[in-house]
Amino acid sequence: MGYDYQYQQPPRRDSVGCAAVLMNFLLMAFGGILLLGVLFAFLFWRAGDRLFEGMDTMFNAPQPTPIVDVRNVVVRQIRGASELTTSIFAMEAVAPASRERTVAGITVGETKLLYIAYGEVRAGVDLSQIGAENVEVISDTIYVTLPPPQILDSKIDVNRSYIYDYDQGFLNLGPDAPELQSLAEQDALRKIIEGACAQGILEDANQRAETVVAQLLSVAGYAQVFVETQPPAPGACPAPTP
C-alpha cells in the first residue's frame, strides 16, 4: 500500500513589506531635506541684502583715522623760517698791529701796520633746535618756547678791507712781517663782534624770531599764539676788551 507524500516549503518573511517600509523612510528623509533646502533658500532670500551688507562692512570697514601730532606739524613750519629771524650787523674797524726787531735784547726797529676792516656779524635764533617738547597746543591756542639767540656767523669782507699803512720804521729796520695782516684781521673781527653785541644784536634777533613765529602760526589758523624767548646763553658774546 503506498502513501502520497507532498513536500511543503517552510513559511518565509514578507520581504516585500520590508522594502516598502525602507522606501517610505527614504522618501520621508528626502522630503525633509528638500523642505529644509527650500526653507534655507527662503531665509537666504529674505536676509540676502543684510547678509551682503554685513560682509561688505566686515571686509571694507573704514580704517582708523591716523593720529597726527600737531606739535610736529608746528615744528616743521617753524623750522622753515630760520633765515627770517637773522639779524645782521656790519661795521668798519681800525686794527693796528706791530712787530719789533731786537738784537741782543735791544729793539732796533719796529714794523707797524694799520688795517681798515669791514666785517659782518649774523645773529639769530636757530629754529632747527625746536622740538615737540617746545610746543604746547591747547584747543586753538599755541605756546612756543624759542631757543636762546646766538651769533651764527662773523667774517671779514677782504674785498672791502685794506691795509691803510705799513711802516717798517727808520731805515726800514723793522722786520718784514706778512703775518701782521692776519693778526690785524683777527683783532678787527673781535672788535666788530663786540660792537654788534654792544648794539644789542642778540636782543634784536630775539625780537625778530618772536615776531616771525607769531605771524607764521597766526596765519596757520591759531586764534592765540604765545611765543616765549630766552636770554642769550652765557658766553654768547665775548667779554669787551679793556
Side-chain angles (χ1 to χ4, degrees):
M1 173 181 253
Y3 295 92
D4 291 332
Y5 178 78
Q6 186 178 1
Y7 174 78
Q8 296 181 352
Q9 294 181 350
R12 295 179 299 174
R13 295 181 179 178
D14 191 353
S15 58
V16 177
C18 292
V21 173
L22 179 60
M23 182 61 68
N24 290 334
F25 176 77
L26 292 176
L27 288 175
M28 291 176 61
F30 178 75
I33 293 174
L34 182 61
L35 181 61
L36 289 175
V38 172
L39 180 61
F40 178 78
F42 176 75
L43 294 176
F44 183 80
W45 174 73
R46 290 291 301 272
D49 292 341
R50 286 179 293 177
L51 176 63
F52 284 119
E53 289 176 2
M55 293 179 64
D56 182 70
T57 302
M58 180 175 62
F59 291 105
N60 299 295
Q63 298 299 316
T65 303
I67 299 175
V68 178
D69 191 340
V70 177
R71 296 179 305 168
N72 291 330
V73 177
V74 172
V75 167
R76 287 195 295 269
Q77 290 176 326
I78 294 176
R79 286 179 177 177
S82 291
E83 289 299 323
L84 300 177
T85 69
T86 302
S87 179
I88 300 177
F89 176 85
M91 66 171 284
E92 283 188 343
V94 178
S98 63
R99 179 64 52 86
E100 295 180 344
R101 183 194 296 273
T102 60
V103 175
I106 300 175
T107 300
V108 296
E110 183 179 17
T111 299
K112 295 181 179 181
L113 178 142
L114 190 63
Y115 190 70
I116 308 298
Y118 179 88
E120 290 184 349
V121 179
R122 294 173 60 250
V125 175
D126 187 0
L127 299 181
S128 65
Q129 297 180 0
I130 288 184
E133 65 277 6
N134 303 118
V135 178
E136 184 178 3
V137 180
I138 302 176
S139 185
D140 58 352
T141 302
I142 187 168
Y143 302 85
V144 179
T145 302
L146 299 180
Q150 58 183 314
I151 293 177
L152 303 176
D153 184 35
S154 60
K155 61 183 179 180
I156 296 293
D157 187 347
V158 295
N159 295 322
R160 302 176 64 176
S161 304
Y162 56 95
I163 296 174
Y164 180 77
D165 185 39
Y166 183 81
D167 182 13
Q168 289 183 281
F170 180 70
L171 298 178
N172 290 333
L173 294 178
D176 186 16
E179 74 277 5
L180 286 182
Q181 180 175 342
S182 177
L183 294 174
E185 288 178 352
Q186 296 175 21
D187 185 49
L189 184 59
R190 178 186 54 78
K191 290 180 178 179
I192 292 171
I193 295 175
E194 289 179 357
C197 290
Q199 293 296 320
I201 189 173
L202 295 180
E203 290 75 12
D204 183 62
N206 249 351
Q207 293 177 1
R208 286 174 179 266
E210 181 180 1
T211 301
V212 168
V213 172
Q215 291 177 348
L216 177 66
L217 297 179
S218 295
V219 172
Y222 294 96
Q224 290 185 302
V225 179
F226 297 94
V227 180
E228 181 180 356
T229 60
Q230 298 188 53
C237 276
T241 303

